[in-house]
């Protein structure tokens, strides 16, 4: 159970190794990496700047992480979220869930990223390529994805 | 109390963070927002549609009717788009 | 779309990087790593040896990988499965699915490992700690996990 | 034809891979298994419960009634436990 908010990039393999090594109860590790997609079309660069709310961000990520650990039998979990300016192809976020059982690892990891998307105070300012920039709007599909977990206690994945 | 603005709320108000005293008569977040709107057109415009605004009080999600005593950290921001 | 069967260990971070770098259409990468769990209890070591059917293994993995790519809009996918003797904590299998959309990446990755478990010709011989060894029995829960995807075309994740 | 055995089928028969000619009268996998069982007690025992055996013909999953012509690669093994 650990969360980090940082400007620097991260190394998925190293994070997985550090989080899980020495723990022989782990049968499966699911990880998710979010990348900056090039939504550019003809607008050229689709670089973006991620703003966040220092203090509250860490608090919300820790709350989400604790919720995942309460719902699923996890041996280890991690959320790393970057802020600052990022370019297409750059890594934005890393979520890892490790469990004795693979279904729990998958569900917890999916839950973590779905909840994070709607509950962690980050905002994306997308460069439009003409020197201007626009705030990315929240998507209804993200709300729907997060809501999916509201009535789900996750116990079905504990086997 | 401390008031913070993020994303386009920060840009439109021109303020990231400010310290204010709880205005007389303000008892909740809705009252604070009404008071802020009276400070000038940039505030009136930025805060016009409260359905587009998310609220945190002391770094926990809050609502328009969350009570304020004067020593809180209140944050106003649009729906989140991280991850 | 790529599969490998090998004795050597793998580096998750390096595999993700090699698979996805330069592709600016990828928004999310889900990966799963299966580890040897210590089921030991009092029996000491729970090392195991993975036997497989060379030729058919590669063929089945490629078929499963193609099925995932047909069901979900993937930009990249990878299956790496090890064979030979492995010890508790060792990595057994790696599955990666990368897509513009995170739900597709999650579902495709979960599908790949669920199908692989029941359709790829691997067999685990577990050391019992007293110098003896026993063949691990197939689990009904693995059949159920694989069957869950039979009626599911995956289109709901394509957004 | 080539016949392969894996996991405990390999151990119990003592054979990993062998080349045989299609025995007279054998037309499908069920017939082949019956014929193999007649080769000795280790085969009779290993192949006694066909519900515990999975079959591949030319590296594709097959069933007891899959036809055999004589030039196939037939593999017999328990349910898989990889991943």
């Amino acid at each position: 159970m650990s969360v980090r908010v940082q400007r620097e990039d991260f190394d998925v393999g190293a994070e997985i190794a550090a989080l899980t090594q020495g723990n022989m109860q782990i049968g499966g590790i699911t990880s998710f990496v979010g990348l900056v997609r090039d939504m550019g079309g003809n607008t050229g660069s689709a670089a973006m700047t991620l703003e966040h709310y220092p203090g509250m961000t860490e608090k919300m990520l820790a709350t989400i992480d604790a919720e995942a650990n309460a719902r699923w039998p996890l041996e280890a979990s991690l959320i790393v979220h970057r802020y600052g300016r990022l370019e297409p192809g750059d890594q934005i976020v890393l979520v890892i869930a490790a469990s004795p059982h693979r279904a729990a690892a998958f569900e917890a990891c999916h839950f973590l990223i779905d909840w994070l998307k709607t509950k962690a105070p980050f905002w994306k300012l997308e460069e439009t390529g003409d020197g201007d920039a626009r705030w990315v709007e929240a998507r209804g599909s993200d709300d729907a994805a997060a809501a999916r977990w509201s009535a789900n206690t996750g116990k079905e994945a504990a086997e | 109390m401390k008031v913070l603005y993020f994303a386009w709320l920060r840009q439109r108000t021109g303020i990231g963070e400010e310290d204010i005293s709880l205005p007389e008569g303000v008892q909740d977040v809705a009252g604070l927002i009404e008071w802020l709107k009276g400070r000038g057109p940039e505030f009136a415009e930025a805060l016009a549609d409260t359905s587009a605004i998310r609220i945190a009080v002391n770094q926990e999600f809050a609502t328009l009717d969350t009570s304020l005593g004067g020593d809180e950290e209140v944050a106003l921001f649009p729906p989140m788009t991280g991850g």
Side-chain angles (χ1 to χ4, degrees), chain A, chain B:
Chain A
M1 296 187 55
S2 165
V3 306
R4 291 197 331 256
V5 183
Q6 63 189 40
R7 193 178 283 278
E8 304 74 43
D9 198 9
F10 50 78
D11 176 332
V12 186
E15 297 291 352
I16 291 177
L19 191 68
T20 60
Q21 75 186 0
N23 185 334
M24 303 302 175
Q25 299 311 311
I26 297 174
I29 306 162
T30 303
S31 72
F32 177 82
V33 179
L35 301 181
V36 181
R37 256 172 88 191
D38 189 353
M39 309 294 278
N42 299 325
T43 63
S45 161
M48 63 166 66
T49 300
L50 262 161
E51 179 173 331
H52 78 116
Y53 181 175
M56 183 170 174
T57 308
E58 291 80 356
K59 209 165 155 177
M60 286 308 303
L61 294 183
T63 300
I64 294 166
D65 189 34
E67 180 70 23
N69 278 271
R71 292 191 186 201
W72 288 278
L74 304 184
E75 290 288 328
S77 60
L78 175 71
I79 305 173
V80 181
H81 204 302
R82 295 177 70 189
Y83 62 92
R85 187 170 185 279
L86 299 172
E87 301 195 336
D90 281 354
Q91 304 186 121
I92 305 173
V93 62
L94 169 65
V95 174
I96 304 176
S99 171
H101 307 289
R102 76 180 182 283
F106 267 101
E107 293 186 16
C109 186
H110 203 163
F111 165 85
L112 284 166
I113 187 69
D114 280 352
W115 266 35
L116 182 158
K117 284 236 163 209
T118 61
K119 296 181 200 293
F122 286 94
W123 302 275
K124 285 177 183 151
L125 179 65
E126 211 166 55
E127 299 174 16
T128 52
D130 51 4
D132 216 342
R134 63 173 194 88
W135 292 97
V136 173
E137 282 189 43
R139 299 190 310 168
S141 62
D142 283 335
D143 289 331
R148 191 163 71 88
W149 299 101
S150 295
N152 179 342
T153 65
K155 296 229 176 84
E156 67 279 15
E159 294 192 11
Chain B
M1 72 192 325
K2 201 187 266 189
V3 184
L4 293 87
Y5 307 85
F6 292 96
W8 55 257
L9 277 151
R10 177 178 53 73
Q11 288 192 319
R12 291 189 199 168
T13 61
I15 296 173
E17 180 177 332
E18 61 179 343
D19 282 299
I20 62 170
S21 300
L22 187 70
E24 203 177 346
V26 168
Q27 296 180 325
D28 58 18
V29 174
L32 175 67
I33 289 176
E34 271 316 301
W35 181 84
L36 290 168
K37 281 160 75 173
R39 292 165 92 195
E42 70 279 19
F43 281 92
E45 197 198 335
L47 301 170
D49 179 10
T50 50
S51 76
I53 296 173
R54 297 292 174 270
I55 301 150
V57 173
N58 293 333
Q59 304 188 355
E60 304 272 3
F61 287 110
T63 58
L64 288 169
D65 58 9
T66 298
S67 302
L68 296 176
D71 56 354
E72 288 89 358
E73 174 175 310
V74 179
L76 304 173
F77 45 79
M80 286 81 84
T81 55

